[in-house]
Amino acid sequence: MKYLHILPIVGVLFLVGSCRPPDREVFSDIHFRQADSLLQLLTLEEKAGQMTNVGLTALTEGPFWNDFDTLVLDTAKLRHFLIENHIGSIQNKGIYPPSKEEWHRIIKTIQDYIAEHSRHNIPVIYGMDAVHGANYTAGSTLFPHQIGLAASWNPELARITGEVTAYEMRASSQPWNYAPVLDVSMQPLWGRIFETFGEDTHINNVMGKAFVEGQQGSSLADTTRVAVCLKHFVGYGTPLSGKDRSPAFIPEHYLRQYYIEPFRHAIDAGALTVMLNSGSVNGIPGHADKYFITDILKGELGLKGFVLSDWQDVDRLVTMHHVAKDTLEAVKIAVNAGLDMSMTPYDADFAKHVVDLVNAGEIPMSRIDDAVRRILYVKFKLGLFDAPYHDPAGYDKFGSEEFAELSYRAALESITLLKNKDQALPLKYGTNILVSGPGANALTALNGPWSRTWAGDDPSYDDPGKKTLLEALQDVYGEQYVSYTPGTDYEGDVESEAHLLRLADNADVILLALGERPATEKPSDINELDLPANQIELVKRLHKSGKPIILVFLQGRPRVIRTIEPLADAILMAYWPGHEGGRALASLLSGRENPSSKLPYTWPRYSGSLYTYQHKGSDRLGKTFDMDGFNPQWEFGYGLSYTTFHYEELNLSADTIHDNETLSLSITLTNTGNYAGKEVVQLYLRDLVASITPDNRKLIAFEKVHLEPGQIKTLDFTVTYENLQFVNLNNEWIAEKGDFEILIGGKPGNMRTGRFFLNK
Ligand code: BGC
């Protein structure tokens, strides 16, 4: 290995060509000094290469989109990309998910090739979408998707998911994760809402931070931790039309109040890289927005690492957004806006364009140096120069029972019980259950997208030994008690009524697993939010049997089910709960475990009435001008348990506070039912009068507590002065004098309340 570039540093080098002088804190960081020192040795071509990220299959035999069973690295392509074009980053996979041993072979070959043939031996940084486990390595642990973690209201589960995912990524020699998704999504039509922590900013702040801490630990050089890449800055999750990558229109004060905060929290927690929004906000494409990238993200939020484009999004400034006449102009716009690395991902043209633009004086060298210094900084921080790949044999917990158990616990806490008429659940042993529906006997229905493949809908990559919902129910109740018929697919024909009723005749209860075919990004776009008609028809046909009906939803979005909700005795929303989701559902259905999850988004009753819980007063105005217009199927924060919790009156420490003071409050709750259970205590604030129409309510804190039957607990919370603030039209956080209401409890619409006054 050549370590020539790791020189003892002299402090003036950073000034050469620097875009903005790094702050003292960064400069005192050894990795920054190493990066800066190495930067001085690079040619323009080498720098441009570092800024380029290509897909793995650009380096392998065959076409980019090949469907080979084994990927074979092509020496001519290695030379072309890694040596002639000095490419600094590789990402992603082909069609199939390689084993950790194959990942080791692939990444070792790439890094060794660089070590042997390049001038400076700068390892590539390998990027991967490990969004619910190291999902692109065969045999890895698959966790619930982010929306399920949000629904658990338990940040510890986000931390554990982050930690295990990091371990299994490093077992696959992958040091850099394109996760977490911190797009607050106030758009239930958007197909990627399942990849997010839902519609509330506070949950995104808390969960995002926990996930980042789990992934990164205390040192990125720890070979069980990885660097995160936060995505997609900013506003991607709330497109006006609901279609992926389509325009968002969000005023800056709302962007700051709701959408930027999760990124701020994650950067404060140590996140070093960020991926940009493929769409546009207020008419400006995310990849062209200098104000957002350079001023806000790198300036105000203080991002120390680098900014990555999304897939081919520099080209899309030409082909999709029409803000550049050709690719050359697109590169100029994006890099000058602050983009540091382009996920091209097919070729090295980006690097060539960067060189031409610098030579033509269209991009200042200082901008290039800033970008490359940031990239090298992250590479040094990750310890890649010392350990560019890892022996998979050193990771004996990979895919272990211990990790599966963690995934199971996460799934248990993520599944929301939405209806339980007359205690239809739990289902007693000895009950004859007829199971049906497209999600009932498929692992793909539990894991959802980004599972072994991008769409996650190919059962040929199913992991042996994992249980579908049907199999898990058969394990718990005994095969003779659990029968099955497919009923229907996600779309298409429904089995005949006569056939279905004949099967129902022999059952005591009917359990239907319904939902969406796994899909993400553009393929997840929908034209209507209603559950597909065939699945509604399946419920209607089976309802004619008169037998109790239990619905289990396996899907990312809250699909409209208004017409079948009254036909069901019990309803569970499982999101995409991961590999242990079948077992977790069987445990919840049988009462071995008690549901404890709450909705992380508002579940609409009508496709034409899409509101989030923060909605404004005017959203509540109904057809008769009464304030009854807000009428979702279920509210954000809603979810049932097999036990009941009683809240005592709320105690506030004061009825008036002043600037920068805090307010303390305590609440006592009792488990008044017969089951041990966990309750999510939610604390909301309502600003009663403000100069910008205030939200209906705003979540400011939550805590999940376990109580045995009869157990009593008192919880203390603090309302800070920051909690009272909102962003005004000058984009400043302010709190205004006036009355505030506190709401606390576990059930929206039935909370303990208190009031206080902010005097200024
Ligand atoms: C997605 C990103 C993802 C990237 C790499 C893009 O199409 O929008 O979320 O990280 O592909 O797979």
Side-chain angles (χ1 to χ4, degrees):
M1 296 257 182
K2 302 175 240 166
Y3 289 113
L4 274 181
H5 44 267
I6 312 176
L7 304 171
I9 305 303
V10 265
V12 285
L13 287 179
F14 75 92
L15 290 173
V16 182
S18 173
C19 192
R20 64 171 75 209
D23 59 37
R24 208 184 279 132
E25 187 201 338
V26 172
F27 192 72
S28 68
D29 184 333
I30 173 77
H31 301 115
F32 176 82
R33 301 205 310 270
Q34 287 172 319
D36 193 66
S37 171
L38 174 54
L39 174 70
Q40 312 307 321
L41 307 179
L42 304 188
T43 62
L44 172 59
E45 287 73 14
E46 286 166 340
K47 291 175 186 173
Q50 285 299 311
M51 295 171 67
T52 309
N53 165 305
V54 299
L56 174 61
T57 50
L59 272 59
T60 56
E61 287 178 3
F64 190 93
W65 292 115
N66 70 70
D67 58 357
F68 300 161
D69 290 342
T70 311
L71 290 179
V72 179
L73 288 157
D74 180 323
T75 314
K77 291 181 183 175
L78 288 177
R79 164 151 290 283
H80 170 75
F81 282 105
L82 302 175
I83 309 305
E84 288 160 15
N85 287 287
H86 319 284
I87 297 305
S89 181
I90 311 289
Q91 65 139 9
N92 237 297
K93 66 169 184 72
I95 300 296
Y96 71 98
S99 65
K100 65 181 188 316
E101 289 73 22
E102 192 178 351
W103 273 121
H104 176 252
R105 172 183 69 75
I106 292 170
I107 294 177
K108 180 176 185 303
T109 307
I110 293 171
Q111 304 287 34
D112 284 353
Y113 193 87
I114 292 170
E116 218 175 300
H117 297 94
S118 73
R119 227 161 63 90
H120 301 292
N121 182 20
I122 305 173
V124 294
I125 178 170
Y126 205 103
M128 201 54 129
D129 295 283
V131 299
H132 70 128
N135 36 247
Y136 281 172
T137 301
S140 71
T141 310
L142 294 179
F143 287 91
H145 277 277
Q146 271 187 222
I147 199 68
L149 297 177
S152 78
W153 296 61
N154 183 351
E156 203 40 40
L157 297 175
R159 188 186 315 278
I160 289 167
T161 301
E163 199 173 325
V164 173
T165 302
Y167 179 96
E168 296 197 343
M169 286 184 75
R170 284 281 193 161
S172 320
S173 291
Q174 298 156 7
W176 183 31
N177 194 2
Y178 299 160
V181 174
L182 294 183
D183 299 310
V184 172
S185 180
M186 302 203 197
Q187 175 49 287
L189 282 163
W190 185 48
R192 298 189 77 177
I193 197 168
F194 75 94
E195 294 179 52
T196 78
F197 291 122
E199 75 185 25
D200 172 66
T201 302
H202 181 67
I203 295 189
N204 272 272
N205 293 345
V206 172
M207 291 287 176
K209 179 171 183 284
F211 184 85
V212 170
E213 288 168 352
Q215 288 255 284
Q216 302 204 151
S218 53
S219 164
L220 287 182
D222 176 343
T223 53
T224 62
R225 307 289 182 152
V226 298
V228 294
C229 181
L230 315 177
K231 59 193 195 182
H232 310 76
F233 196 76
V234 62
Y236 180 50
T238 307
L240 182 65
S241 72
K243 299 288 194 291
D244 187 47
R245 289 174 156 76
S246 68
F249 297 91
I250 308 171
E252 184 175 339
H253 62 288
Y254 280 178
L255 276 167
R256 288 178 178 275
Q257 185 164 326
Y258 303 107
Y259 297 92
I260 293 177
E261 283 303 289
F263 289 89
R264 179 197 301 284
H265 281 76
I267 289 169
D268 288 349
L272 289 178
T273 76
V274 174
M275 191 186 293
L276 295 175
N277 171 8
S278 181
S280 64
V281 174
N282 306 329
I284 315 286
H287 289 68
D289 204 321
K290 186 170 186 187
Y291 178 56
F292 285 173
I293 305 171
T294 298
D295 296 356
I296 296 185
L297 182 56
K298 293 181 176 174
E300 289 181 35
L301 271 52
L303 180 78
K304 295 194 174 75
F306 64 90
V307 171
L308 172 71
S309 83
D310 202 343
W311 187 285
Q312 219 186 355
D313 271 308
V314 173
D315 290 350
R316 289 202 181 109
L317 292 178
V318 185
T319 58
M320 185 168 89
H321 291 294
H322 308 291
V323 296
K325 65 177 181 309
D326 55 25
T327 315
L328 193 69
E329 190 180 12
V331 172
K332 175 181 152 183
I333 290 172
V335 174
N336 283 334
L339 178 75
D340 300 313
M341 183 186 279
S342 174
M343 187 193 295
T344 67
Y346 304 104
D347 54 44
D349 291 355
F350 173 82
K352 296 197 182 87
H353 291 324
V354 166
V355 170
D356 291 345
L357 287 160
V358 173
N359 287 335
E362 300 281 356
I363 299 177
M365 191 60 149
S366 56
R367 178 69 271 281
I368 302 301
D369 284 348
D370 173 51
V372 178
R373 191 186 292 109
R374 287 167 179 274
I375 293 163
L376 296 176
Y377 173 65
V378 176
K379 290 186 176 184
F380 277 111
K381 273 238 160 301
L382 277 166
L384 293 181
F385 290 90
D386 299 320
Y389 45 82
H390 316 294
D391 181 357
Y395 295 83
D396 55 356
K397 286 190 184 174
F398 177 95
S400 61
E401 275 306 309
E402 179 189 332
F403 286 176
E405 184 61 21
L406 294 173
S407 172
Y408 169 70
R409 307 251 38 117
L412 279 176
E413 288 201 36
S414 74
I415 296 165
T416 321
L417 178 62
L418 294 168
K419 181 172 184 181
N420 196 13
K421 194 172 127 204
D422 303 330
Q423 274 79 51
L425 297 179
L427 289 177
K428 294 189 189 52
Y429 296 101
T431 307
N432 282 300
I433 311 170
L434 170 62
V435 178
S436 186
N441 197 23
L443 286 179
T444 51
L446 298 172
N447 286 319
W450 303 104
S451 302
R452 309 304 181 226
T453 64
W454 178 55
D457 62 350
D458 187 344
S460 54
Y461 300 113
D462 278 357
D463 286 36
K466 297 297 174 187
K467 304 279 181 180
T468 66
L469 173 56
L470 173 67
E471 291 162 347
L473 285 168
Q474 286 171 335
D475 282 355
V476 169
Y477 286 91
E479 271 188 45
Q480 68 275 32
Y481 290 102
V482 185
S483 54
Y484 170 68
T485 188
T488 187
D489 202 346
Y490 291 106
E491 306 87 27
D493 296 340
V494 185
E495 287 173 4
S496 79
E497 192 169 296
H499 168 74
L500 290 168
L501 292 179
R502 225 176 4 259
L503 295 175
D505 229 20
N506 300 324
D508 302 315
V509 62
I510 296 158
L511 191 148
L512 300 176
L514 308 176
E516 304 186 302
R517 185 188 300 283
T520 182
E521 301 190 42
K522 288 311 287 180
S524 69
D525 281 356
I526 50 174
N527 290 319
E528 53 191 355
L529 198 54
D530 294 52
L531 192 70
N534 62 312
Q535 298 192 46
I536 291 184
E537 182 58 25
L538 177 68
V539 179
K540 289 184 174 166
R541 285 187 189 175
L542 280 162
H543 180 253
K544 292 192 181 144
S545 68
K547 302 286 168 77
I549 297 216
I550 297 158
L551 303 181
V552 172
F553 288 103
L554 291 157
Q555 59 191 14
R557 276 169 289 225
R559 303 295 290 254
V560 170
I561 51 160
R562 183 183 66 255
T563 54
I564 51 170
E565 182 273 332
L567 312 186
D569 295 80
I571 302 179
L572 285 153
M573 172 59 156
Y575 313 91
W576 274 310
H579 255 151
E580 310 306 323
R583 283 173 60 214
L585 276 163
S587 295
L588 293 170
L589 288 160
S590 64
R592 286 184 181 180
E593 297 284 347
N594 190 354
S596 65
S597 150
K598 307 277 183 184
L599 284 176
Y601 44 44
T602 308
W603 192 308
R605 189 182 293 271
Y606 301 94
S607 287
S609 298
L610 306 182
Y611 309 106
T612 60
Y613 89 95
Q614 299 97 333
H615 65 270
K616 307 293 183 185
S618 50
D619 286 325
R620 299 184 82 85
L621 194 62
K623 279 163 84 81
T624 56
F625 292 92
D626 290 325
M627 298 305 278
D628 61 356
F630 178 71
N631 184 20
Q633 192 73 53
W634 293 290
E635 287 202 45
F636 168 86
Y638 178 80
L640 301 171
S641 165
Y642 294 150
T643 193
T644 47
F645 297 96
H646 173 76
Y647 287 76
E648 302 294 332
E649 288 306 320
L650 171 64
N651 293 312
L652 300 185
S653 63
D655 55 15
T656 301
I657 61 167
H658 300 89
D659 270 9
N660 298 316
E661 288 179 357
T662 59
L663 181 87
S664 306
L665 58 97
S666 63
I667 188 92
T668 300
L669 70 159
T670 310
N671 180 346
T672 46
N674 298 325
Y675 285 82
K678 289 184 177 166
E679 168 74 328
V680 178
V681 180
Q682 305 163 37
L683 176 63
Y684 297 91
L685 195 67
R686 184 176 278 159
D687 191 347
L688 294 180
V689 179
S691 57
I692 290 185
T693 302
D695 291 349
N696 177 59
R697 59 193 163 99
K698 170 171 91 166
L699 184 73
I700 57 169
F702 60 88
E703 200 170 324
K704 194 166 195 179
V705 282
H706 176 94
L707 277 89
E708 294 295 322
Q711 197 183 346
I712 303 173
K713 257 192 193 161
T714 299
L715 300 180
D716 299 316
F717 290 94
T718 303
V719 180
T720 65
Y721 184 68
E722 283 72 39
N723 291 152
L724 311 185
Q725 294 182 318
F726 64 91
V727 182
N728 70 10
L729 291 178
N730 297 325
N731 301 316
E732 301 150 344
W733 285 94
I734 58 156
E736 291 176 341
K737 179 175 173 176
D739 284 308
F740 289 82
E741 190 174 23
I742 295 273
L743 302 92
I744 190 163
K747 281 199 182 67
N750 182 16
M751 299 228 162
R752 296 294 180 189
T753 58
R755 260 174 106 128
F756 66 95
F757 185 72
L758 172 65
N759 206 351
K760 291 177 79 82

